[in-house]
Amino acid sequence: TVVCPAITSRATMNVLVPAYVYPGDTPPYSTYWDKIVADAAIAKAVGFKLIVVVNPSNGDFTIVDPQYTAVIDRLDAAGALVVGYVYSSWGARSSTQITANIKSWRALYPKVKGIFFDEVQMDTAHYNYYWLLRRTIVQQFGGEAFVIGNAHGAQLSYTRYRDVFDVTIAFEGTGGTLPSFVQQSLVRYAAPRDIAYVVNTVGDYAAADAQSRACSILQSLRYSSASARNAGNWFLTTDTGANAYDTLGTEHDAMIEATCWANSLKVCPR
C-alpha cells in the first residue's frame, strides 16, 4: 500500500501532540489517551519521536494528580517523550513563578523529560529571560532535558533562540491559513528537527480526503524547498475553537500514517 504517492524518499518526521485533555478513566478521556499510547508504540517501532505535552492546571500546580501520574507512566513505558506545559504570558510572568512551576514538574512527575513553554515572546529583549529559564530546566532535569517554545509568527527572525529551545513551534494556526503562510529566517536556516508546525481546523485545507490532506501538508512542510518550512515535527487536528486540542479530531490516523510513510516508506505497523 502506498500512503503518499508523491513522497518517494525517507525523511525524519516526528509528531508533537498538545494533549490538553484530562486523563480520566472513562470514555472519551480514556479512549483519547489509549490512542496516544498506541501511537507511542508505533513511533517506537518505526523510529520517530512522539512528543506529548501534558497540561494539568496550565502547568501551575503544587500537588500531584494520580490520574496524570498514571498516564505519564503509560506514555513513558510506551516510548513517548513527555514534556510539561508552562505558560510565560509573552514574557510577562515572573521568572520566580515559572521556576516554581518547573520545580513542581520535576518533583511531582519525575518521568516528564522537559518543558513546553507556551506564549513565548521571542525577541531580543526577552532572550536572557528564556535563556535563564532553560538553565533552570537543565539544573532540574539534567543535560538531556527537552525544551520546546511556542513562538509562532514574525518574531521567529531572532536566530539566537536556537540556543534556548530544542524545538520551536513556527506555526500554530488553521489549515485554511497554512497555504499562504510565509516563513521567517530562523526556520529557513534551522535544522528540520528544530522546527514544528501545529495545524488545527485542518479540514479547511483543501484536499480530496483525509489521507490526501495529510500527505499534501507533509510534503509542504518537510519536502518542499520552495515553501522553506523546513519542519521535522508536526501535529494535525480537525478540532477547532478556544481549545483546539481537547480531542484528536477525525483525521488523526491519516497524520500518523503519513508520518510512518515519511520515516519508512511503509504503512504503520499495527
Side-chain angles (χ1 to χ4, degrees):
T1 301
V2 177
V3 177
C4 298
I7 294 174
T8 58
S9 61
R10 296 174 183 170
T12 301
M13 195 71 179
N14 303 311
V15 175
L16 194 166
V17 183
Y20 300 168
V21 176
Y22 186 75
D25 293 327
T26 58
Y29 308 110
S30 58
T31 305
Y32 175 99
W33 291 101
D34 288 347
K35 181 66 176 172
I36 297 179
V37 170
D39 290 343
I42 291 171
K44 185 176 181 179
V46 175
F48 63 89
K49 287 180 184 175
L50 185 84
I51 306 163
V52 182
V53 183
V54 289
N55 184 14
S57 304
N58 285 329
D60 192 9
F61 53 83
T62 55
I63 58 173
V64 69
D65 184 328
Q67 296 279 34
Y68 271 102
T69 298
V71 80
I72 290 168
D73 286 351
R74 290 179 64 202
L75 289 165
D76 181 71
L81 173 61
V82 185
V83 296
Y85 179 99
V86 173
Y87 68 97
S88 68
S89 297
W90 312 109
R93 283 190 83 201
S94 75
S95 57
T96 301
Q97 289 176 309
I98 296 176
T99 295
N101 295 158
I102 292 166
K103 289 181 176 179
S104 291
W105 273 114
R106 182 56 177 161
L108 300 178
Y109 299 103
K111 291 187 179 177
V112 166
K113 299 299 194 297
I115 296 295
F116 172 96
F117 282 117
D118 201 7
E119 300 174 347
V120 170
Q121 186 64 36
M122 189 182 284
D123 56 22
T124 54
H126 288 87
Y127 175 81
N128 285 340
Y129 170 88
Y130 288 108
W131 187 88
L132 290 171
L133 289 172
R134 180 186 176 91
R135 188 174 70 175
T136 298
I137 293 167
V138 171
Q139 288 170 342
Q140 294 294 314
F141 289 84
E144 298 300 313
F146 200 80
V147 185
I148 302 172
N150 188 7
H152 54 282
Q155 56 182 328
L156 286 170
S157 59
Y158 294 97
T159 57
R160 293 176 68 200
Y161 278 86
R162 293 183 205 169
D163 298 330
V164 177
F165 301 118
D166 299 293
V167 169
T168 297
I169 295 179
F171 175 90
E172 182 191 0
T174 67
T177 61
L178 178 61
S180 60
F181 181 70
V182 177
Q183 197 47 265
Q184 302 299 312
S185 60
L186 175 100
V187 173
R188 293 179 184 143
Y189 299 108
R193 66 176 178 272
D194 300 338
I195 301 300
Y197 271 55
V198 175
V199 186
N200 59 63
T201 323
V202 74
D204 288 351
Y205 184 99
D209 52 46
Q211 196 62 68
S212 298
R213 185 169 12 259
C215 291
S216 176
I217 293 173
L218 172 63
Q219 188 171 15
S220 78
L221 299 188
R222 188 66 177 87
Y223 291 87
S224 174
S225 58
S227 71
R229 286 171 179 159
N230 210 28
N233 307 271
W234 70 332
F235 181 74
L236 309 180
T237 180
T238 54
D239 202 354
T240 188
N243 180 5
Y245 312 111
D246 57 357
T247 76
L248 293 175
T250 60
E251 300 187 6
H252 183 79
D253 286 345
M255 176 193 65
I256 296 296
E257 283 294 346
T259 306
C260 289
W261 185 259
N263 284 279
S264 67
L265 297 182
K266 296 178 182 178
V267 298
C268 294
R270 300 285 183 180

